[in-house]
């Protein structure tokens, strides 16, 4: 893994539109050995129960807040430690949409770790390996770390720092959009 740049290509108010864009981008990506990662701060017992149903077998978490204590590593009960920050890596792709549905307004990031972005000769783009092939949907947030809560959702495509923007423009066009201009470093 390596750090990448995450460029926002779409920020719709409708979650259904954001998911439709993610599906379109997944349709052009190489999904061989792809997996999905999750990050969220969960405040309510109801959301926690729904997320636990979606991610059977548990997930990594720790209590969230300056004086908070408790973690999955310590074997604590997450319901007794709310709010908690959840991190989970390497889940099958079919867990992404159920996880998003379980959130009920909770800010989160869902990142698809892809095997690659395709070569696009007509756009002068070479194939991109798994090292820089990621797609992130921030739900109820505009940034990767959920520091900017919002009522909308942002689709980010990842590229290398050396990318001239051509890949981002091409991927944005795949979902009928143009890059928004928001780019942030993604620490992977």
């Amino acid at each position: 893994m390596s750090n990448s740049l995450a460029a926002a290509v779409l920020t719709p108010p409708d979650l259904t539109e954001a998911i439709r864009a993610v599906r379109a981008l997944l349709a052009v990506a190489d999904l061989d050995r792809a997996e999905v990662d999750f990050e969220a701060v969960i405040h309510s017992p109801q959301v926690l129960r729904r997320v636990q149903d979606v991610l059977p077998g548990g997930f990594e978490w720790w209590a969230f807040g300056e004086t908070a204590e408790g973690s999955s590593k310590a074997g604590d009960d997450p319901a007794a430690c709310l709010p908690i920050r959840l991190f989970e890596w390497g889940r099958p792709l079919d867990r992404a949409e159920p996880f998003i549905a379980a959130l009920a307004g909770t800010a989160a990031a869902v990142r698809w770790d892809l095997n690659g972005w395709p070569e696009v000769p007509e756009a002068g783009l070479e194939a991109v390996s798994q090292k820089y092939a990621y797609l992130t949907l921030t739900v109820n947030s505009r940034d990767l770390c959920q520091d900017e809560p919002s009522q909308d959702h942002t689709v980010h495509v990842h590229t290398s720092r050396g990318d001239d923007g051509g890949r981002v423009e091409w991927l944005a066009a795949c979902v009928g959009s143009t890059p928004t201009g928001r780019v942030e470093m993604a620490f992977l």
Side-chain angles (χ1 to χ4, degrees):
M1 283 201 199
S2 181
N3 295 339
S4 66
L5 293 178
V9 296
L10 185 67
T11 302
D14 181 11
L15 184 56
T16 303
E17 184 180 348
I19 292 171
R20 192 172 20 253
V22 165
R23 287 177 183 160
L25 291 167
L26 291 173
V28 300
D30 178 350
L31 300 180
D32 186 42
R33 297 183 312 269
E35 54 191 30
V36 67
D37 307 328
F38 306 108
E39 178 180 339
V41 175
I42 299 175
H43 294 269
S44 87
Q46 295 83 5
V47 170
L48 175 61
R49 278 193 298 279
R50 287 194 299 267
V51 167
Q52 287 171 318
D53 288 344
V54 170
L55 301 176
F59 44 82
E60 186 174 335
W61 66 269
W62 57 90
F64 183 72
E66 287 188 29
T67 60
E69 293 184 19
S71 70
S72 54
K73 188 172 256 181
D76 296 316
D77 176 7
C81 299
L82 292 172
I84 62 168
R85 179 170 287 279
L86 170 151
F87 279 101
E88 185 62 12
W89 296 271
R91 290 292 183 135
L93 297 182
D94 68 355
R95 297 293 78 212
E97 289 189 35
F99 178 81
I100 293 165
L103 296 172
T106 300
V110 178
R111 186 183 73 223
W112 287 263
D113 302 344
L114 310 170
N115 196 50
W117 291 119
E119 175 183 24
V120 187
E122 63 274 16
L125 300 173
E126 295 179 0
V128 174
S129 74
Q130 166 252 346
K131 184 174 181 179
Y132 295 111
Y134 299 94
L135 168 65
T136 300
L137 171 61
T138 54
V139 179
N140 300 306
S141 175
R142 292 206 175 154
D143 68 307
L144 300 177
C145 296
Q146 302 96 59
D147 291 330
E148 293 181 54
S150 67
Q151 296 301 307
D152 50 26
H153 320 281
T154 302
V155 178
H156 308 262
V157 295
H158 297 247
T159 63
S160 70
R161 286 191 251 182
D163 189 287
D164 67 1
R167 173 78 51 191
V168 172
E169 290 173 5
W170 184 80
L171 290 167
C174 288
V175 297
S177 186
T178 58
T180 69
R182 290 180 56 118
V183 179
E184 61 185 292
M185 180 65 72
F187 301 99
L188 305 171

